[in-house]
Amino acid sequence: MPVLSKDVPQEELSSPTADRWSDVVWETAPAKVNLFLNVESRRADGYHELETLMVSLGLRDTLRIQSLPGEELEFVCHDARGVAGLATGARPLDLPPGPGNLVWKAAQLLRDQTGVQRGARLELWKRIPVAAGLAGGSTDAAAALRGLNRAWNLGLSLAELRELGARLGSDIPFFLAGRPAAICRGRGELITPLDLPLGLALVLVKPTEGLSTPQVFRHCRPEGRRPGVAQLVADLRRGCLAAAASQLHNTLQPAAESVSVDVVRLREAFGKLSAAGHLMSGSGSCYFGLCRNLGEARRLAGRLVARRLGSVFVTSVASGVRAA
Ligand code: C5P
């Protein structure tokens, strides 16, 4: 029998589509940022070998899954960005509606691999900005794999789901690690989960223009192996934010700056603020500041909204999100 997640946002609970609980599975799909991302080398298969520290955020999408008696797949996406999504010129949601969407691909892959002949209605409330380096599509796909595994009673382990997820995208296994922080290696799919103190406060800015991940990787200069991630983890565990901030690193940032003036502007704007540290996330274009507490994150968010650099979010590692 599918289990109902306890973590159901109120807007979905009160929505007219929230019908019989027993047929419905809910999944939350958190965004991530990379506190450290070192691209080591270019591989023969076109991917890059990397080492990255990923942490999941309170900023999240929500996926509702209803198992259907036939074999039909339905996918509906709602714009749930609210005030933050509307701030300073955000575009309408631009997501592939049907089989091109990673949620749909995850459902199809599960059916192909398990032989299950079931259908589902997949309804997504989308808050995470797209083409932002926050892994919005990857986390939705991971949520679909988790949720359909329950809704269709497939009994796959997290390790089996990670193996399937890796076929759809390099960031997906992280969201199937069962922990909010991990060091990821290989092309991103080799996961070492970590215990880190939660509640790190962040302010994020997503410029109107997103960035293409393949394009940014094409422009990057691999750096070989680079120390830093172990020290960063140790500093975060000690609660020493200033030391941790000095270890923030992203090889993809110079590459993104070479193709996006927005990222340059964000680095310059964050350089004038008092955040403990700042960095572009993943392949961009989202930029974040690491703050001493949520109060500081909110103060900085106010100043960033005034600068009209993009949509601004206040969030923390694996807790709630506020629109600024
Ligand atoms: O794995 P995913 O489909 O998310 O990757 C998207 C693109 O990002 C790849 O096609 C590749 O161009 C680039 N990429 C890479 N090295 C990685 C991960 C992604 O070059 N480790």
Side-chain angles (χ1 to χ4, degrees):
M1 177 68 67
V3 184
L4 172 68
S5 161
K6 292 191 181 72
D7 191 10
V8 180
Q10 290 306 307
E11 68 265 41
E12 282 86 341
L13 268 176
S14 58
S15 99
T17 54
D19 37 23
R20 292 181 49 218
W21 295 121
S22 57
D23 292 344
V24 174
V25 167
W26 292 89
E27 288 285 342
T28 55
K32 63 82 181 163
V33 291
N34 308 70
L35 298 179
F36 181 95
L37 196 173
N38 185 45
V39 179
E40 295 177 358
S41 58
R42 194 166 280 132
R43 306 190 335 187
D45 63 6
Y47 283 92
H48 291 77
E49 198 69 12
L50 47 85
E51 182 175 55
T52 181
L53 171 59
M54 300 224 258
V55 292
S56 57
L57 306 180
L59 173 61
R60 66 196 183 179
D61 296 339
T62 307
L63 184 65
R64 175 184 182 275
I65 298 175
Q66 182 162 27
S67 183
L68 298 177
E71 291 188 32
E72 202 179 340
L73 286 181
E74 294 173 20
F75 175 60
V76 182
C77 185
H78 305 283
D79 186 345
R81 290 174 297 176
V83 179
L86 297 175
T88 53
R91 297 241 172 88
L93 275 182
D94 180 20
L95 291 178
N101 193 281
L102 270 177
V103 166
W104 186 294
K105 288 183 184 172
Q108 196 57 57
L109 180 65
L110 262 189
R111 290 206 299 201
D112 292 345
Q113 292 302 307
T114 63
V116 66
Q117 295 180 330
R118 300 280 294 276
R121 178 178 165 82
L122 299 143
E123 209 168 338
L124 183 66
W125 280 264
K126 190 84 201 142
R127 299 182 191 84
I128 304 172
V130 300
L134 301 175
S138 300
T139 190
D140 296 341
L145 290 173
R146 276 195 312 268
L148 287 167
N149 187 38
R150 291 196 288 146
W152 289 340
N153 287 312
L154 300 176
L156 298 178
S157 66
L158 272 181
E160 287 169 318
L161 294 177
R162 281 198 295 276
E163 195 275 314
L164 290 178
R167 298 191 208 176
L168 295 172
S170 307
D171 283 345
I172 296 176
F174 166 69
F175 296 106
L176 297 162
R179 300 268 268 289
I183 295 178
C184 310
R185 298 192 176 90
R187 66 180 166 88
E189 86 286 21
L190 306 176
I191 310 296
T192 307
L194 288 179
D195 283 319
L196 279 185
L198 301 181
L200 278 176
L202 299 177
V203 57
L204 310 179
V205 183
K206 163 64 177 54
T208 305
E209 298 295 334
L211 278 171
S212 144
T213 302
Q215 188 195 14
V216 174
F217 268 101
R218 266 198 310 278
H219 281 80
C220 89
R221 289 228 176 113
E223 300 183 279
R225 285 198 57 78
R226 175 191 172 103
V229 75
Q231 188 60 50
L232 173 55
V233 170
D235 291 336
L236 289 170
R237 285 190 173 141
R238 282 191 298 133
C240 190
L241 202 61
S246 70
Q247 300 292 342
L248 296 177
H249 176 73
N250 186 349
T251 309
L252 296 177
Q253 186 167 330
E257 290 190 14
S258 73
V259 295
S260 165
V261 69
D262 289 337
V263 179
V264 178
R265 284 200 194 106
L266 283 168
R267 173 172 51 76
E268 288 170 355
F270 272 87
K272 294 180 188 141
L273 299 176
S274 61
H278 54 92
L279 193 69
M280 185 184 80
S281 182
S283 57
S285 58
C286 192
Y287 207 95
F288 67 90
L290 189 58
C291 301
R292 287 158 194 87
N293 49 50
L294 276 175
E296 179 177 57
R298 284 186 205 110
R299 267 198 311 283
L300 299 189
R303 293 176 61 183
L304 289 161
V305 167
R307 298 283 309 272
R308 296 187 162 272
L309 294 160
S311 302
V312 181
F313 303 82
V314 172
T315 188
S316 55
V317 173
S319 68
V321 64
R322 281 188 68 250

